[in-house]
Amino acid sequence: MKKLNGNLNIFNLAVFISGRGSNLNSIIKHSLKKKSNYQVKLVISNNKNAKGLTFAKKKGIKNLVIDFTKSKQLIKKIILELNKKDIKLICLAGFMKILPGYFFKLYNGKIINIHPSLLPKYKGLRTHERVILNKEKFTGCTIHYVNRYLDSGKIILQKKIKVKKIDTPETIKKKVLKLEHKMYPEAIEKVLINL
Ligand code: GAR
């Protein structure tokens, strides 16, 4: 963390991704605004082909591909990098790996995730298909703390949108993603203010 202008604290963030990285992109874009209270210092992917890595590369943000199946290497490498960069918050953004238990202990209250549903409804995958199948009237997006149970930690921010009769999983996906891009930076700032 570094102090600017004597009154604005800027916190260092790590973002974990697995694929497209559109949320990573919106988090980075927001960090470049004057009023932002964070900067993205590290991007970690479990997938070397993750498209999102290009957003980090373009901005010169340190990015690493880590094989999460090799757990001993994982502990050393990730913890080393998180410490080196003085990371205060880890944001999972489309990160499709379950982190090992020791990780939650080490970073208790310092890992957050975004999920494209109104949790506790529709944990896991294929959320939009299930929303349409069940004829839900509303869906949305949730940002929550991560604990060792899937999509179950304390909710930080949740917003909903209406599901129309003509909506399909694809149209809902687009609308929810647009909402995600606005909400994730907002939730990050909220968490950091209370650190
Ligand atoms: C987002 O919709 C995010 O909510 C979802 O994956 C997508 C990643 O998109 N995450 C989960 O489903 C986690 N359970 P992105 O790579 O373009 O940010």
Side-chain angles (χ1 to χ4, degrees):
M1 183 180 80
K2 95 187 162 199
K3 243 180 175 183
L4 284 185
N5 302 331
N7 56 9
L8 181 62
N9 286 331
I10 306 290
F11 296 90
N12 292 347
L13 235 69
V15 183
F16 286 22
I17 61 167
S18 293
R20 180 180 51 192
S22 68
N23 275 292
L24 166 67
N25 191 30
S26 82
I27 291 169
I28 294 173
K29 274 189 178 162
H30 186 88
S31 76
L32 302 175
K33 291 183 181 167
K34 238 184 176 175
K35 63 174 179 110
S36 166
N37 65 353
Y38 69 83
Q39 51 192 346
V40 181
K41 282 291 197 179
L42 181 65
V43 172
I44 289 182
S45 174
N46 63 312
N47 168 16
K48 67 175 170 32
N49 298 318
K51 266 178 135 184
L53 285 168
T54 56
F55 296 120
K57 286 175 188 161
K58 267 189 205 157
K59 295 289 178 212
I61 298 168
K62 170 124 197 196
N63 53 94
L64 293 173
V65 175
I66 289 183
D67 181 353
F68 279 72
T69 56
K70 298 192 175 145
S71 92
K72 272 192 182 157
Q73 259 169 278
L74 161 91
I75 310 175
K76 275 193 198 157
K77 211 169 173 181
I78 295 189
I79 294 173
L80 200 76
E81 288 302 326
L82 293 171
N83 287 340
K84 244 200 246 172
K85 299 278 180 199
D86 191 24
I87 299 297
K88 297 293 185 236
L89 188 68
I90 298 168
C91 303
L92 310 185
F95 183 69
M96 298 306 190
K97 268 266 175 224
I98 307 273
L99 289 163
Y102 58 78
F103 211 81
F104 304 122
K105 277 192 193 150
L106 260 176
Y107 295 96
N108 188 20
K110 303 264 166 32
I111 314 174
I112 66 175
N113 180 44
I114 187 159
H115 185 76
S117 80
L118 295 174
L119 291 176
K121 280 187 160 182
Y122 304 107
K123 296 174 184 176
L125 299 173
R126 296 179 48 252
T127 52
H128 308 307
E129 283 92 332
R130 288 183 284 147
V131 162
I132 294 291
L133 211 65
N134 291 340
K135 299 187 174 18
E136 293 286 356
K137 291 203 161 48
F138 293 95
T139 186
C141 167
T142 307
I143 290 130
H144 62 94
Y145 287 101
V146 175
N147 62 19
R148 58 197 186 91
Y149 303 104
L150 181 72
D151 300 327
S152 296
K154 190 176 165 216
I155 290 174
I156 299 159
L157 191 63
Q158 186 169 69
K159 286 187 185 170
K160 63 181 180 182
I161 56 166
K162 223 173 166 23
V163 180
K164 294 181 184 159
K165 283 211 174 98
I166 52 160
D167 272 321
T168 63
E170 272 311 306
T171 62
I172 286 297
K173 189 176 171 180
K174 269 193 191 159
K175 289 182 204 176
V176 171
L177 195 62
K178 202 172 161 197
L179 185 66
E180 291 183 40
H181 294 161
K182 272 197 190 156
M183 277 176 67
Y184 213 172
E186 189 184 331
I188 290 168
E189 298 218 320
K190 188 176 163 189
V191 169
L192 292 174
I193 284 167
N194 295 310
L195 265 190

